Amino acid sequence: MLTKFESKSARVKGLAFHPVRPWICASLHNGVIQLWDYRVGTVIDRFEEHDGPVRGVDFHLHDPLIVTGGDDYKIKVWDYKLRRCLFTLLGHLDYIRTVQFHPNAAQFPWILSASDDQTLRLWDFRKRTCLSVLTGHNHYVMCAAFHPSEDLIVSASLDQTVRVWDTTGLRKKQLGEPSGPMAAMDGGRQSVAASTAMNVQAELFGTNDVVVKYVLEGHDRGVNWAAFHPTLPLLASAADDRQVKLWRMSETKAWEVDTLRGHANNVSCCLFHPKQELVVSNSEDRSIRVWDVSKRVGVQTFRREGDRFWILAAHRSQNLLAAGHDSGMIVFKLERERPASAAGPGDKLYYVRGRELFCHDYARATGGSSGVDVPIASLRRVGQQAQTDGIGSGPRFLSYNMHNPKEGNVLVCSEVDGGCYELITFSLTNAGGSVTDGKRGSCLGPGVFLGSNRFAVLDRHKREIVVKNMNNETTKRVASPVPNVDCLYDGGAPGRIILRADDRAILFEVQSRRVLGELTAPKIKSLVWSPDGSKLAILCKYGVVIADRQLEQLCSISDTVRIKSGAWDASDTGGTNSNLFIYTTLHHVKYCLPTGDTGTIRTLDNPIYATRVVKDQLFCLDREARSRVLSIDTTEARFKLALANKKYGQVMHLVRHSRLCGRAIVAYLQSKGFPEVALHFVRDPQTRFGLALACGNIEAAMECAFSLEQQKGGEGKARDVWGQLGSEALRQGNHQIVEMSYQRKKDFDRLSFLYMLTGDTEKLRKMLKIANMRNDIMGRYHNALLLGDAAERVAVLEASGNLPLAYICANLHGLTDTAERIKVAIETQEGSVEGLMDKVPVGSKKGGRLLQPPTPIIRAGNWPTLEIKKTTLEDLSAADAGVYEEEGNVSSAAATTLASATAWDDGFGDDGMADVGATGGLGVDDDDFGGDDWGDDLDDLGDLGGPPAPAHVDEMAGLNEISDEAGFQMPAAGRPPAGCWVANSSHAADHMAAGGASSAMQLLHRQIAASDFTNLRDSMLGCYLGSTVSLPGIPGSGSIIIPLMRNDASGHPGNESLPRTSISPKSLVAGVRNGYRFFQGGKFNDAKNAFAEVLSQIPLTITDNRSEANEMKEMLEICREYITAIRIKAAITAAGDDPVRSTELSAYFTHCNLQPVHLLLALRSAMGTAFKHKNFIVAASFARRLLELPDMKSERNADLRMKATKVLQKSEQMARNEHTLNYNENSTFAIDCEDFVPIYSGEECLKCYYCGSSYKGSAMKGKLCVTDGFCLVGVETIGLVTGK
């Protein structure tokens, strides 16, 4: 059983498949009717008007109607498009068990219903009347159904009988009603009265329109179900006596053929399989059983624990069944319908139909056929189950030996008895006449040919790869490189196979037993190699993965429905060979390109299985294993492929000669950066305008703007078009187009500002006159301000009634005569000018100033632009001048032009670093030391801005016309330094210098498992602030940010630039020396801070060569050891009262990797502590190690040498430890940096992958390292990255 869909709900009592759509209607015991889409698994609609359980449901064959019958004695007809009940049929007096539309519903608008009132009823749902009442049963009628093609009805009842009814009389009566002019004249009242009388008679006495033809008796208990065979004169019935009976009918009688026994409880339902000679039944014993009609035996049983089955339904045209149970329903198949097939050499296809192996020769195609079928061999089936068709006993996989050119070898694999294979050998010249008897064996999944004389199968028990020769003899067994391997596929080359394990595909070489590649793909179903073997398509359940022959992924796409099959294009011309993959789903043919582009080619009525694609023909097999040819249009796919391969001549040919259109293509071209291509076939002005702006074609955009202005008038959206055009022209520096756009838009404020920027004072004065003519006070004032005309500003203020402001302005600008006149006017209006000038403190920063516009230095045309040659895509005439060939080849001249015009810089180059001198060594005798202060917090930076408000003005006049300078285009913008830094480096310091704090933290987290960035904040801030320098600009302009680069010694590196960082290995050396100095002087807290600061700076330090990298890693170990030693020293002080713990800690202190001068101090302290607490054995050990140090031979350590000698002598005399210590000097151990206990070899421990600190057990997993304070313990990473 192949379950296609499963639902969870209340008990399902009725089921019906939609005849065309992937829908199924389920009526539930709680009164709800659910309409499901079983393909995607969603509820489409619910109907809830019945009271009580709904037991019967059916779809109309053509109209959007559903009929239901329930325990409320009602039959309801629903319109699922209108989503409501159309009408209710009343007449039954008890529960309604089943309802069904007539199979020929267009001619006979009948509904058949069966009820517990012991009757069947036939209804005319168009007239909404009862046609006939069928009486005869003397108990509940459990089921009633029409014959698919004859005038028969079958019913089953709890009176232990099955009745077959003949509806010939009713059919003749319905078709024999009078018609024509006389019927029209005699219609009316007489026909209505006759109809009413017939209905009354039918209700009381029944009718003789439907008569009983057979009464089948044989069941010992009530019969629950009866069903007709679709084509044969057979009946099947299911009863409470746990039996399924088969009956045969003739013209005069019916008799029992056989009884199928096996169910353990009441049999609820049974039906004939629509395509195979099978009977399917379900029962309250929680099982579904499949019976062979010809052999009359059970062949399959499917059980479901905990749920009783009640109903079965079969699809009219597809191989689908559905079963309803106590907690929902399932939609399933009995077998897979994909025919086993494999491509052969040349134009041949090998496939299995029924029990025959065929070779389909495409080269011998004639007329409308796809080729000729040549039978090869008959396949024998072994085992009882394999003798029945339709239950999954047929071949599942087929493999052809492409490595053997002398003879044909085919492996036919099936899943019968756990998996088996059959090897068939035949002559290539006489395929049907010289077949070697098949050699068989067991396997799991398909077999694969490794060479001309050997093949491999997967052992189904040990999951080993078994290699066999053509005599079916095992020559080698190879263990699988990974566990859970469940399938083998062809590896694309001799000796190679692809293994499927979980959700992975592994490319494996059998001879060398090496894994050559690995790819993750969910739910792999099959593999398809391209004709040239360079690419591989991995078909998953809901997607396709394209990879190369080394199993490196090229692209991956996903779909919402199941992928059925696929084939690579094998065309000799057009450039699509092995580059275009066609795949099919349930209802569509789609394509996929190695670039990741995908699309839909056409729809399908029924699923097909693609085998070959040549140009615009798709060769395929249907579910009956019949070869078919479908016409497909791959123009869109070829267009996208040519665009991706930069075959621009082919692109322009397709644009000119194909019907490429639609918003999808336009959007695709825009997303790929080719809007100029879409300009050639888009005619809508609005769309062309957007495309022209996207590709910077000002001329085309201006033409579209004029067209849109004529269409839409001068208001509304037309002004928006001119605004967009002006913005693009301003970006390109073509301010003449900007001027015209502002004029068309009547945006006077922006126009005045443009004239001020370009220094066109004459037009600015005209703008002042226009504002004066329009009585625009603010416009006059702004233009006067931009012109620097103080007298005009005073006049505007005076005209607007702002006399005090006018007086102040006149005084400030030295217009004394005007000021006196305004003063008189103010005093005339009983005002006063006293104190007005006090409000403007002249001379201070907030005081009034003389406002004058900047003086134009250069009055030129448009801003400087770069003249470039047009590309092939822009110059359509150049593309048409070249001769387009089917192979997609472009002329050499066009290719040369294209190469020079479309060379794009992707910003990625070879890494190169200058080798500089190594930093000096570390020492402890340096007297200079210092520290850095903590910095400020990192502030968020952002730009603020807002668009100016548009102005609503009248028409303009008096401005000069402008002309466009064609053939110019703005130079392409270069990449910002920050973008280059991020692209050129994987070091966190470079990302932080570029301002990418997020990516820098992600890199640190991946590389060293950094989690808490508090300790790294200052170092990261230093990288960001130290990578640039700010230079003050000219007065009135902002500062200029200059990037500092570390690889610009021999010239500007361009896109290969890398930032200069503030932290260098030399500064780290200085920090380590400071730590040494503090440690030597006993300032342990200062020493710990110095080493911790170096630890926080190392991840953000970049080295120039390998010696510096090794030195930095050495400093990392030094900082770890000293920080651990200082923490142990603090623990010794805290444990002073505990002789055991203080002695142990003193011993661990001496095992830290310290400088010799510092180790001397540690051993001296540990020797004293151990001797003091009478632990003489370890005291003697410390004394020996102390005396062995080179520094003990110097004169300054003479006293210490004497004391150590005495301690050694005394300890050797006593030779005992007072306490038992967790310390063994003879064993190598690491120190637990959390609890300060030894971790001996072989004990479980975790490490910090940055600093190397060790932790015993697993308690610290996922926690912050105590030593560095910012990395997680136990997270395996790549470790410290020292270079870019």
Side-chain angles (χ1 to χ4, degrees):
M1 176 189 289
L2 300 176
T3 302
K4 311 300 286 186
F5 166 67
E6 185 168 359
S7 72
K8 297 294 184 182
S9 65
R11 181 184 301 167
V12 175
K13 301 296 290 184
L15 287 172
F17 280 101
H18 192 282
V20 178
R21 298 182 179 180
W23 294 353
I24 186 169
C25 197
S27 59
L28 310 184
H29 197 265
N30 60 5
V32 177
I33 302 156
Q34 294 179 336
L35 183 59
W36 289 87
D37 187 326
Y38 55 80
R39 187 176 61 186
V40 296
T42 57
V43 176
I44 300 173
D45 213 337
R46 294 164 60 94
F47 307 100
E48 301 181 0
E49 291 188 17
H50 276 286
D51 295 329
V54 183
R55 302 179 186 271
V57 63
D58 193 26
F59 275 104
H60 194 279
L61 190 59
H62 307 293
D63 298 336
L65 300 178
I66 299 174
V67 61
T68 59
D71 286 4
D72 55 1
Y73 316 160
K74 297 177 182 178
I75 299 173
K76 291 181 176 289
V77 177
W78 313 76
D79 189 316
Y80 56 75
K81 285 188 176 179
L82 300 178
R83 306 177 66 180
R84 65 182 179 88
C85 177
L86 298 180
F87 55 88
T88 302
L89 301 175
L90 300 176
H92 279 295
L93 306 176
D94 208 336
Y95 297 168
I96 298 171
R97 293 287 179 173
T98 62
V99 289
Q100 184 188 6
F101 285 108
H102 194 282
N104 187 8
Q107 188 174 9
F108 301 103
W110 296 353
I111 292 175
L112 174 64
S113 61
S115 171
D116 284 0
D117 63 6
Q118 305 180 15
T119 65
L120 291 77
R121 285 179 180 255
L122 281 169
W123 310 80
D124 188 324
F125 63 84
R126 290 182 181 167
K127 298 179 180 178
R128 305 182 186 181
T129 59
C130 179
L131 297 176
S132 182
V133 181
L134 282 61
T135 60
H137 284 291
N138 54 24
H139 209 306
Y140 299 164
V141 184
M142 303 297 291
C143 159
F146 287 108
H147 192 281
S149 57
E150 299 180 12
D151 296 329
L152 297 176
I153 291 174
V154 65
S155 62
S157 170
L158 293 187
D159 62 6
Q160 303 180 15
T161 66
V162 176
R163 290 176 179 254
V164 178
W165 312 75
D166 190 342
T167 60
T168 305
L170 184 62
R171 175 180 61 83
K172 291 180 178 180
K173 181 179 178 180
Q174 292 291 312
L175 296 179
E177 290 180 352
S179 60
M182 295 301 296
M185 293 175 58
D186 295 337
R189 188 182 309 167
Q190 186 176 4
S191 61
V192 173
S195 168
T196 304
M198 286 177 56
N199 288 338
V200 173
Q201 179 185 0
E203 290 287 342
L204 294 177
F205 308 108
T207 63
N208 59 0
D209 297 332
V210 181
V211 296
V212 177
K213 190 172 185 180
Y214 314 116
V215 178
L216 308 179
E217 297 178 339
H219 282 288
D220 297 332
R221 301 187 66 181
V223 186
N224 293 317
W225 205 267
F228 285 112
H229 192 282
T231 56
L232 300 177
L234 292 177
L235 273 171
S237 60
D240 287 345
D241 59 4
R242 306 177 183 180
Q243 297 175 359
V244 177
K245 288 184 179 291
L246 296 178
W247 313 80
R248 182 174 289 275
M249 300 180 299
S250 67
E251 290 297 327
T252 58
K253 64 178 181 177
W255 63 96
E256 180 180 338
V257 176
D258 207 344
T259 301
L260 307 177
R261 296 178 176 87
H263 281 293
N265 207 333
N266 302 340
V267 186
S268 306
C269 186
C270 67
L271 52 80
F272 288 96
H273 194 282
K275 295 190 176 183
Q276 304 290 342
E277 293 302 313
L278 301 172
V279 170
V280 185
S281 63
N282 63 5
S283 167
E284 294 181 38
D285 65 0
R286 301 175 176 84
S287 71
I288 299 175
R289 290 179 181 264
V290 183
W291 314 84
D292 190 323
V293 174
S294 59
K295 299 179 179 60
R296 298 164 192 171
V297 294
V299 291
Q300 277 185 337
T301 302
F302 309 110
R303 298 189 182 276
R304 185 181 183 90
E305 297 299 329
D307 291 319
R308 297 168 295 175
F309 286 99
W310 299 102
I311 187 68
L312 280 170
H315 199 283
R316 295 174 186 265
S317 58
Q318 298 182 22
N319 184 21
L320 284 176
L321 300 172
H325 51 79
D326 283 336
S327 60
M329 66 170 174
I330 54 174
V331 178
F332 62 96
K333 292 181 179 180
L334 295 180
E335 67 170 353
R336 287 183 170 87
E337 298 177 276
R338 180 194 307 272
S341 63
D347 297 330
K348 292 182 173 58
L349 172 73
Y350 293 88
Y351 68 94
V352 176
R353 183 196 305 147
R355 302 190 181 188
E356 292 285 335
L357 173 64
F358 289 90
C359 173
H360 188 80
D361 193 348
Y362 294 113
R364 297 164 64 181
T366 57
S369 67
S370 62
V372 177
D373 285 333
V374 179
I376 302 295
S378 296
L379 305 177
R380 291 195 304 173
R381 299 188 181 179
V382 181
Q384 180 181 357
Q385 183 181 354
Q387 305 307 316
T388 302
D389 293 328
I391 58 173
S393 58
R396 176 82 191 283
F397 308 104
L398 199 70
S399 300
Y400 182 83
N401 190 358
M402 301 292 287
H403 311 295
N404 190 355
K406 298 180 180 179
E407 63 180 4
N409 308 121
V410 172
L411 272 175
V412 181
C413 304
S414 68
E415 296 179 338
V416 177
D417 299 330
C420 62
Y421 68 87
E422 181 178 0
L423 175 62
I424 300 174
T425 302
F426 54 91
S427 171
L428 293 177
T429 57
N430 185 14
S434 57
V435 179
T436 303
D437 188 24
K439 302 176 178 64
R440 298 174 180 82
S442 62
C443 67
L444 180 64
V448 177
F449 286 99
L450 299 177
S452 60
N453 58 357
R454 58 197 177 109
F455 65 93
V457 294
L458 186 64
D459 187 284
R460 66 190 186 193
H461 300 295
K462 298 181 180 180
R463 302 295 175 94
E464 292 180 336
I465 302 169
V466 183
V467 181
K468 299 192 175 189
N469 58 24
M470 290 304 168
N471 295 322
N472 205 24
E473 299 169 346
T474 301
T475 60
K476 184 188 297 184
R477 285 181 175 269
V478 180
S480 302
V482 294
N484 302 327
V485 174
D486 58 2
C487 196
L488 301 181
Y489 297 108
D490 183 19
R496 291 185 179 184
I497 58 175
I498 292 180
L499 310 176
R500 183 181 73 185
D502 299 325
D503 286 340
R504 294 180 298 162
I506 298 102
L507 181 60
F508 183 66
E509 192 171 64
V510 178
Q511 185 67 27
S512 62
R513 306 190 181 188
R514 292 184 303 150
V515 174
L516 304 179
E518 185 174 330
L519 186 64
T520 300
K523 299 180 180 179
I524 300 173
K525 296 299 180 183
S526 60
L527 273 63
V528 183
W529 284 94
S530 62
D532 61 0
S534 63
K535 297 180 183 65
L536 168 67
I538 302 176
L539 302 185
C540 305
K541 189 174 184 179
Y542 293 104
V544 179
V545 178
I546 306 294
D548 60 14
R549 62 181 305 166
Q550 299 300 327
L551 223 58
E552 294 290 336
Q553 180 172 319
L554 300 178
C555 74
S556 175
I557 64 167
S558 59
D559 212 318
T560 55
V561 295
R562 300 187 184 190
I563 309 297
K564 288 296 181 183
S565 64
W568 289 91
D569 189 294
S571 305
D572 296 331
T573 59
T576 57
N577 189 303
S578 299
N579 286 315
L580 172 60
F581 184 71
I582 305 295
Y583 67 96
T584 65
T585 63
L586 275 172
H587 298 291
H588 292 93
V589 178
K590 301 184 178 182
Y591 68 86
C592 174
L593 303 179
T595 57
D597 295 317
T598 183
T600 301
I601 296 177
R602 60 167 291 172
T603 58
L604 295 172
D605 296 329
N606 296 303
I608 59 169
Y609 302 94
T611 58
R612 191 167 182 256
V613 178
V614 178
K615 295 185 179 178
D616 284 342
Q617 286 186 318
L618 172 62
F619 298 87
C620 58
L621 294 174
D622 59 17
R623 284 181 163 172
E624 284 72 36
R626 302 288 180 182
S627 184
R628 297 173 55 193
V629 182
L630 298 181
S631 296
I632 58 176
D633 185 1
T634 59
T635 304
E636 179 183 322
R638 288 186 281 116
F639 173 78
K640 292 182 178 180
L641 186 62
L643 196 64
N645 294 335
K646 298 184 179 180
K647 295 182 178 180
Y648 298 126
Q650 184 178 356
V651 170
M652 300 312 300
H653 182 275
L654 291 171
V655 169
R656 276 295 194 185
H657 300 90
S658 301
R659 304 181 66 178
L660 285 170
C661 59
R663 295 183 179 179
I665 289 293
V666 174
Y668 174 81
L669 290 169
Q670 285 187 282
S671 66
K672 295 297 181 181
F674 296 104
E676 63 271 16
V677 180
L679 275 175
H680 292 298
F681 58 85
V682 173
R683 295 293 174 260
D684 177 54
Q686 185 69 48
T687 308
R688 282 181 59 84
F689 179 76
L691 292 171
L693 290 185
C695 62
N697 193 333
I698 295 296
E699 298 89 342
M702 191 160 56
E703 293 177 4
C704 297
F706 280 117
S707 300
L708 290 171
E709 187 179 41
Q710 294 176 359
Q711 291 178 5
K712 301 178 181 179
E715 301 294 333
K717 294 184 178 180
R719 293 192 176 185
D720 297 337
V721 169
W722 287 113
Q724 297 173 26
L725 178 61
S727 299
E728 176 62 23
L730 189 62
R731 188 188 70 83
Q732 294 190 12
N734 194 335
H735 61 77
Q736 294 179 350
I737 301 292
V738 177
E739 179 184 358
M740 185 198 69
S741 300
Y742 289 165
Q743 291 175 7
R744 293 277 180 177
K745 192 180 177 183
K746 301 179 182 178
D747 194 342
F748 297 104
D749 292 338
R750 283 192 171 92
L751 197 55
S752 298
F753 193 70
L754 176 68
Y755 291 149
M756 189 272 292
L757 286 178
T758 55
D760 198 338
T761 54
E762 294 183 2
K763 291 185 178 180
L764 197 55
R765 294 188 184 278
K766 292 182 179 180
M767 291 298 299
L768 178 60
K769 293 180 181 179
I770 292 172
N772 196 7
M773 293 168 55
R774 295 172 52 247
N775 294 323
D776 183 4
I777 297 297
M778 288 304 299
R780 286 180 60 192
Y781 188 81
H782 285 157
N783 284 290
L785 190 63
L786 296 177
L787 283 168
D789 192 342
E792 181 64 23
R793 292 206 300 276
V794 172
V796 172
L797 292 173
E798 186 177 3
S800 62
N802 294 294
L803 295 180
L805 287 176
Y807 177 75
I808 295 173
C809 184
N811 264 325
L812 285 176
H813 292 87
L815 303 175
T816 54
D817 296 339
T818 306
E820 288 297 327
R821 180 173 54 79
I822 296 173
K823 178 181 178 182
V824 172
I826 293 174
E827 292 176 348
T828 304
Q829 297 177 4
E830 299 180 355
S832 175
V833 296
E834 294 182 4
L836 285 180
M837 298 307 297
D838 297 337
K839 297 179 180 180
V840 186
V842 179
S844 64
K845 291 184 178 180
K846 297 182 180 180
R849 297 295 179 91
L850 179 62
L851 291 177
Q852 291 289 340
T855 303
I857 302 174
I858 300 175
R859 291 183 175 91
N862 290 330
W863 296 339
T865 55
L866 179 64
E867 185 176 4
I868 62 172
K869 297 180 180 179
K870 291 185 176 181
T871 64
T872 308
L873 291 179
E874 291 177 302
D875 193 354
L876 187 59
S877 59
D880 288 340
V883 178
Y884 169 73
E885 301 177 357
E886 279 294 326
E887 290 79 9
N889 297 327
V890 189
S891 63
S892 58
T896 305
T897 305
L898 177 65
S900 63
T902 60
W904 290 354
D905 187 6
D906 58 2
F908 293 94
D910 297 332
D911 296 336
M913 301 185 67
D915 190 12
V916 298
T919 309
L922 299 175
V924 297
D925 54 352
D926 191 354
D927 295 336
D928 296 331
F929 61 93
D932 295 331
D933 295 332
W934 290 83
D936 297 330
D937 293 333
L938 182 64
D939 296 328
D940 294 331
L941 303 176
D943 295 331
L944 301 176
H952 300 281
V953 296
D954 298 329
E955 290 289 338
M956 300 175 54
L959 296 179
N960 296 332
E961 294 295 329
I962 56 105
S963 61
D964 180 37
E965 298 180 9
F968 288 89
Q969 183 175 336
M970 282 292 292
R975 297 181 66 183
C980 298
W981 298 347
V982 171
N984 295 338
S985 175
S986 60
H987 200 285
D990 291 333
H991 284 247
M992 193 62 213
S998 176
S999 61
M1001 289 190 286
Q1002 289 178 1
L1003 285 174
L1004 291 173
H1005 180 69
R1006 295 192 191 106
Q1007 293 167 0
I1008 61 173
S1011 178
D1012 187 349
F1013 295 91
T1014 305
N1015 295 341
L1016 298 173
R1017 181 186 59 182
D1018 292 338
S1019 300
M1020 296 175 75
L1021 261 175
C1023 290
Y1024 175 66
L1025 298 175
S1027 62
T1028 56
V1029 62
S1030 178
L1031 298 179
I1034 60 175
S1037 65
S1039 300
I1040 303 174
I1041 304 299
I1042 304 297
L1044 301 177
M1045 291 171 283
R1046 66 174 183 266
N1047 58 343
D1048 59 350
S1050 59
H1052 197 285
N1055 286 338
E1056 302 297 324
S1057 66
L1058 290 169
R1060 184 174 298 175
T1061 55
S1062 59
I1063 307 173
S1064 65
K1066 290 184 179 180
S1067 62
L1068 297 181
V1069 172
V1072 172
R1073 287 176 176 171
N1074 288 335
Y1076 285 161
R1077 182 67 176 172
F1078 289 131
F1079 193 90
Q1080 180 77 21
K1083 299 178 181 179
F1084 295 113
N1085 288 335
D1086 294 339
K1088 181 181 177 182
N1089 293 336
F1091 289 119
E1093 184 178 359
V1094 174
L1095 269 184
S1096 66
Q1097 292 176 348
I1098 286 177
L1100 296 164
T1101 305
I1102 300 176
T1103 60
D1104 292 332
N1105 49 52
R1106 179 163 298 189
S1107 62
E1108 284 189 356
N1110 294 334
E1111 186 177 355
M1112 194 162 65
K1113 292 180 180 178
E1114 180 184 349
M1115 284 189 282
L1116 180 63
E1117 296 178 1
I1118 291 172
C1119 293
R1120 179 196 68 216
E1121 294 295 327
Y1122 272 85
I1123 290 176
T1124 303
I1126 294 170
R1127 293 180 59 241
I1128 293 176
K1129 185 65 177 175
I1132 294 173
T1133 304
D1137 297 336
D1138 187 351
V1140 177
R1141 185 59 177 161
S1142 60
T1143 305
E1144 289 176 347
L1145 292 172
S1146 299
Y1148 305 152
F1149 189 36
T1150 64
H1151 284 268
C1152 294
N1153 189 10
L1154 307 178
Q1155 294 291 327
V1157 64
H1158 299 151
L1159 182 60
L1160 184 146
L1161 299 177
L1163 287 170
R1164 183 181 68 178
S1165 174
M1167 180 183 68
T1169 302
F1171 191 81
K1172 173 183 175 182
H1173 295 306
K1174 300 181 180 180
N1175 295 310
F1176 297 111
I1177 296 177
V1178 295
S1181 170
F1182 296 147
R1184 291 191 196 96
R1185 290 173 59 192
L1186 187 60
L1187 292 172
E1188 291 172 358
L1189 291 177
D1191 290 350
M1192 291 297 291
K1193 297 178 181 179
S1194 64
E1195 290 299 326
R1196 61 180 179 180
N1197 292 325
D1199 294 339
L1200 180 58
R1201 184 171 63 249
M1202 185 181 300
K1203 289 180 181 180
T1205 303
K1206 292 180 180 179
V1207 168
L1208 179 61
Q1209 293 174 354
K1210 181 67 175 177
S1211 298
E1212 289 176 344
Q1213 292 175 3
M1214 304 304 295
R1216 289 290 185 274
N1217 279 341
E1218 182 72 17
H1219 308 97
T1220 301
L1221 305 176
N1222 184 14
Y1223 173 66
N1224 185 2
E1225 65 170 329
N1226 297 321
S1227 299
T1228 303
F1229 63 85
I1231 301 174
D1232 185 340
C1233 294
E1234 171 69 13
D1235 299 325
F1236 301 129
V1237 293
I1239 305 174
Y1240 295 103
S1241 177
E1243 292 184 346
E1244 181 186 4
C1245 69
L1246 298 175
K1247 282 185 174 292
C1248 171
Y1249 277 81
Y1250 168 56
C1251 67
S1253 299
S1254 300
Y1255 298 90
K1256 192 172 184 179
S1258 59
M1260 284 294 291
K1261 186 173 180 62
K1263 297 182 180 180
L1264 287 178
C1265 176
V1266 180
T1267 304
D1268 54 55
F1270 51 83
C1271 293
L1272 297 178
V1273 176
V1275 179
E1276 185 176 356
T1277 65
I1278 196 174
L1280 181 65
V1281 176
T1282 58
K1284 79 179 182 65

